[in-house]
Amino acid sequence: MRKSPPMSFRKLFVVAAAIAALGVAAGAAFAQTAQQKAMIDSAKAQGVVGEQADGYLGFRQPSSDSTLTEAVSVTNNARREAYARSAEVAGTTADVAAARAFETIVLPRVSSGQWYRNAQGRWVQR
């Protein structure tokens, strides 16, 4: 008789599927304007902003640009809502959904030369 996989693996699989189904990246894209997206993309290319293992954008370098700060906030708020919805569907927490989204959706999309903060809290350049 075949044993079923551990519940934690199943739960992570369901979280990943729920996140993909809800379109975390699409949710953030709809919340932000084209100008905000372009601003964030530019800040990522310059190494000012990066993705984080907690599923959110973070400032790698301090910025006094209030427009950029607002753009990051809008994106993070949209992600927060998407993670909460996917967590509800998967029966887990938003934190687990966010971390899983980072691993499965966000990190693979980090371009060469851009920065991300790993689970140990260190900024790493891809």
Side-chain angles (χ1 to χ4, degrees), residues 70-82:
E70 180 182 350
V72 168
S73 181
V74 165
T75 299
N76 283 343
N77 287 337
R79 288 181 182 189
R80 189 172 289 107
E81 290 174 17

Side-chain angles (χ1 to χ4, degrees), residues 4-100:
S4 58
M7 183 58 114
S8 61
F9 175 76
R10 252 193 254 167
K11 189 176 278 191
L12 289 176
F13 178 77
V14 171
V15 169
I19 289 168
L22 290 171
V24 170
F30 287 122
Q32 66 185 197
T33 66
Q35 181 182 7
Q36 288 172 327
K37 180 176 179 351
M39 184 178 288
I40 289 171
D41 289 345
S42 176
K44 283 180 177 181
Q46 295 170 14
V48 175
V49 170
E51 297 289 350
Q52 301 181 131
D54 65 0
Y56 300 98
L57 292 171
F59 283 91
R60 189 177 150 266
Q61 299 173 354
S63 174
S64 59
D65 185 340
S66 62
T67 310
L68 176 59
T69 301
E70 180 182 350
V72 168
S73 181
V74 165
T75 299
N76 283 343
N77 287 337
R79 288 181 182 189
R80 189 172 289 107
E81 290 174 17
Y83 297 149
R85 287 192 309 268
S86 65
E88 187 176 331
V89 168
T92 190
T93 67
D95 289 342
V96 169
R100 189 67 181 144

Side-chain angles (χ1 to χ4, degrees), residues 91-115:
T92 190
T93 67
D95 289 342
V96 169
R100 189 67 181 144
F102 173 78
E103 293 170 6
T104 60
I105 298 169
V106 177
L107 185 58
R109 294 181 180 174
V110 173
S111 299
S112 179
Q114 291 184 347
W115 292 83

Side-chain angles (χ1 to χ4, degrees), residues 1-5 10:
M1 185 150 120
R2 225 175 122 198
K3 284 186 172 182
S4 58
R10 252 193 254 167

